[in-house]
Every structure is written in C-alpha cells, then in structure tokens.
Amino acid sequence: MKPTFDGPIPGENYTSDTKNYPWHRPPDITDYDEAVEFVIRELSTPSRISMIYTMLEAGQSISGIVSIVNMLNIGNGKYAVDLSILIAGPVARFIEIAAKENGIEAELGTPEEEIYTLEMFQAMQGVLDNEDEPPAEQPAAPPTEGGLMAMGAETGTPATADPDTQAAMLGLNEEDA
Amino acid sequence: MEYDQIIRQSVKAFKEGRLPEQISARKEAGLKYTPEYFDQLEEDLLGNDTTPEEDTDEADL
C-alpha cells in the first residue's frame, strides 16, 4: 500500500489569509451593555422570537437557546467567547421574561447537579429493556448440511410426496389412471 | 468543561443575583443590564398584566 500525503504540508497555514473568518478578526462588540442590547434587539425581531418560542415549546431549555444564540454571534464575529459567557445570564433572563409574558412554560436548564443512574446509561446505550415490547424473535437456525434437496430429512418430513399426491399434482386422477 | 456547562453556570449565577467581579466593579459606574434591572422588568411586564384586569373587575362591581 502506497503512503498517501493528504494532510497539510508544514507551513501551509502561512499561505492563507488569517483574516478569512470573522472570528479571526477583533469582535465588533466588546462592551457588556452593548452586547446585551445587541442580542435583545436581535431576538426581539418577529422571526427570531417566534423561533425561540417554538424551540421552548418543543422542550429546549433557555440555557440551550442562549448557547445557540451565542455560538451564532461568535461565529459572525459580533463578540468574543468570554463576553458571551458574561452576557449569558441577561440574555437568559430576557428570554425567560418574554416566554412568561406569552404564557410559555420554559425551563432555565440549570439543574442543581446531574445524578447519573444505571437507567440513564442504559438509555444512552439504547439497551434499556422495555417490558411492554414482546421479545424479539430468535433468528432461524441455519441449515446444517445437505443443502436444499436434503431439507426435511432431519425433521422426519418425507423428501418426496406419496404417489397419490404426485398423481394429483400432475393432473392424473384415479379415473385417468 | 464544555461551553454549554459554562453557560448554564453563568445563567444560574445571574439568576441568583451574582455577577462576575469585573462586571460588579462596573456596576457602580453605571451598568444597565443587572439582575435588578431584569427583576424590575419582569415585575413591570408581568405585574402590569394582572393589574388592569383587577381594576376592571372592581369597576364592573
């Protein structure tokens, strides 16, 4: 087998422009209040807030939505990761208040402590037994030997039909015979 | 620690009224979006929703 050289060659990173992506450049917003105001204004648009309400109704936690919003804005170069952590609280409170105002029950998504149980691990692995479901059928045992023509020999079933059956299959009844 | 976990911790701390040190230092200089600001906003928005109904009920009586 021939070795393949499909990885980057040493120094290849210097051949591309380091300012190709928004997160390679300084962020647009570096102030706490300015960043919170930007996110609140952005989330207040009808399309965004309706999307957030839908996500909340689908069971998404507020913290999860804040993470998504922050990741999008970091990717677009609006603010840096450290500022996104600082503004997570205000953004979450804004979403919480907006949801309450519209009668949507929303979870903040900040459990005290995760308690891992055996059932959780089994559910994660997909091996949790469901007592309501019938047990899966066992696969049929493979034929032992002899192939197709020997089938039935082990079970006692005659390999060939009796003469009467054969005559009936050939369309010969007793009158013809 | 993953990003989601840090965000959860940050949200929880803000909900409990705790701010990072650097932000708390700026609070005296005039910080707008504090935990108290959102508590007041919640009270104004959700509290005002119930008041007119009570007023109208009393007026009807």
Side-chain angles (χ1 to χ4, degrees):
Chain A
M1 182 181 169
K2 290 183 180 179
T4 56
F5 299 101
D6 55 353
I9 60 170
E12 190 177 326
N13 57 318
Y14 293 119
T15 63
S16 64
D17 191 354
T18 55
K19 294 184 178 179
N20 276 341
Y21 297 103
W23 58 88
H24 287 163
R25 295 186 288 272
D28 295 344
I29 303 167
T30 54
D31 183 63
Y32 171 84
D33 274 343
E34 201 179 332
V36 175
E37 200 157 330
F38 168 78
V39 176
I40 289 176
R41 200 182 309 119
E42 191 190 42
L43 294 183
S44 299
T45 57
S47 62
R48 290 292 176 93
I49 200 73
S50 61
M51 186 178 71
I52 285 171
Y53 290 156
T54 308
M55 289 170 81
L56 289 173
E57 284 172 343
Q60 178 73 45
S61 69
I62 293 174
S63 297
I65 293 172
V66 172
S67 293
I68 294 167
V69 169
N70 276 342
M71 293 296 258
L72 286 171
N73 286 330
I74 292 166
N76 289 329
K78 294 298 176 189
Y79 45 76
V81 177
D82 50 356
L83 187 57
S84 78
I85 295 167
L86 294 177
I87 66 167
V91 174
R93 284 287 285 144
F94 168 76
I95 295 172
E96 187 185 18
I97 293 167
K100 278 184 185 174
E101 195 182 9
N102 286 277
I104 298 167
E105 287 186 15
E107 286 186 18
L108 213 53
T110 55
E112 291 296 321
E113 193 176 352
E114 296 271 3
I115 305 295
Y116 295 102
T117 61
L118 180 63
E119 286 76 17
M120 283 173 67
F121 279 108
Q122 287 175 335
M124 282 190 278
Q125 291 171 348
V127 295
L128 190 63
D129 292 333
N130 193 347
E131 293 177 357
D132 297 335
E133 286 184 8
E137 289 182 11
Q138 295 294 325
T144 51
E145 286 179 2
L148 184 65
M149 299 304 289
M151 280 180 71
E154 295 88 6
T155 58
T157 309
T160 56
D162 59 280
D164 292 339
T165 309
Q166 289 191 42
M169 286 192 288
L170 292 169
L172 302 172
N173 53 20
E174 290 180 357
E175 294 173 0
D176 295 334
Chain B
M1 184 176 280
E2 292 181 1
Y3 182 76
D4 289 344
Q5 289 176 295
I6 297 171
I7 291 295
R8 278 202 294 270
Q9 285 187 2
S10 177
V11 169
K12 188 181 173 188
F14 190 84
K15 177 80 175 172
E16 291 169 356
R18 290 185 282 125
L19 281 174
E21 288 180 11
Q22 298 295 324
I23 301 293
S24 294
R26 282 194 52 202
K27 200 174 170 182
E28 294 171 3
L31 197 68
K32 186 179 177 184
Y33 296 109
T34 59
E36 293 80 21
Y37 171 85
F38 286 99
D39 290 342
Q40 186 65 41
L41 180 71
E42 187 174 18
E43 195 179 325
D44 291 346
L45 288 174
L46 304 177
N48 286 343
D49 284 347
T50 55
T51 311
E53 289 176 7
E54 289 171 1
D55 291 343
T56 49
D57 289 341
E58 288 173 4
D60 292 338
L61 293 172

